[in-house]
Amino acid sequence: MIEVYPNLFVGSKLDFYLLCEKDWYVITASNQVHHDLLGWLDKNHPNYHFVQFDSRLILNLIDAREERLIAKQCIDVALNFIRTHSDRKILLHCNLGRSRSPGIAFLYLASLGILDKQFHKAITQFRKIYPEFWPGEGIYRFLEKNYLEYQSGKL
């Protein structure tokens, strides 16, 4: 688990299990955890993309090979959750802490204007902050396609 910005920590499922602090807020970026909790939901269900329980946000976010399968709604609700609770410690985790959760943190830092305006330079810059960042193909393409939109701070 690495603190990538004050109060924002990125890590893996193991980090979540080892975290004993009750006052932390948690974002779980894992479709498997979402399905384990809610079962397989119809795409029209109000909790299909995410569900929130107090200080816990669980995203139905897959680490797909195709960018079109990455749900922008999941990314946006996670970024809003981070902004809303930035005064609290937040653990943002996925299974391995390599793709989905650091991808969201990458976009958060971009939205604050902390990262370079050029996508490839920003990736290099973020890897210095979070060396475990190795996004899957779909996450990488999503980040590349949407970077300027998030980086502009319009969201």
Side-chain angles (χ1 to χ4, degrees):
M1 177 168 57
I2 296 173
E3 188 173 22
V4 297
Y5 191 73
N7 286 335
L8 181 60
F9 297 78
V10 177
S12 68
K13 184 170 33 176
L14 179 60
D15 295 314
F16 169 72
Y17 289 128
L18 295 175
L19 185 69
C20 296
E21 303 290 330
K22 293 182 180 179
D23 61 335
W24 282 58
Y25 279 56
V26 177
I27 301 172
T28 301
S30 170
N31 60 311
Q32 190 58 52
V33 173
H34 185 272
H35 297 312
D36 289 349
L37 182 66
L38 299 175
W40 293 91
L41 299 177
D42 181 85
K43 288 186 178 189
N44 296 320
H45 192 281
N47 295 120
Y48 178 77
H49 289 293
F50 66 91
V51 63
Q52 184 175 346
F53 301 103
D54 299 319
S55 62
R56 186 94 194 269
L57 177 66
I58 302 166
L59 307 175
N60 185 7
L61 187 61
I62 61 173
D63 201 355
R65 290 184 127 185
E66 297 179 47
E67 172 269 325
R68 67 179 179 82
L69 298 175
I70 307 302
K72 191 173 187 303
Q73 299 94 319
C74 290
I75 306 296
D76 293 346
V77 76
L79 294 176
N80 187 54
F81 185 91
I82 296 167
R83 283 186 200 101
T84 301
H85 304 292
S86 61
D87 61 326
R88 306 297 296 265
K89 287 184 180 179
I90 299 172
L91 171 61
L92 172 56
H93 80 92
C94 54
N95 293 344
L96 299 175
R98 293 180 166 253
S99 185
R100 291 170 282 188
S101 57
I104 293 168
F106 171 80
L107 290 177
Y108 180 70
L109 295 185
S111 75
L112 297 176
I114 292 171
L115 299 178
D116 198 277
K117 291 183 186 237
Q118 293 181 11
F119 175 74
H120 295 291
K121 288 182 180 180
I123 290 283
T124 301
Q125 192 177 9
F126 185 72
R127 281 195 176 126
K128 290 178 183 173
I129 298 167
Y130 191 80
E132 296 298 314
F133 182 46
W134 293 101
E137 187 175 343
I139 296 290
Y140 184 88
R141 296 289 170 226
F142 178 90
L143 298 175
E144 184 177 45
K145 178 182 175 184
N146 295 284
Y147 183 70
L148 290 179
E149 181 181 355
Y150 287 98
Q151 195 275 329
S152 71
K154 292 180 183 174
L155 298 173

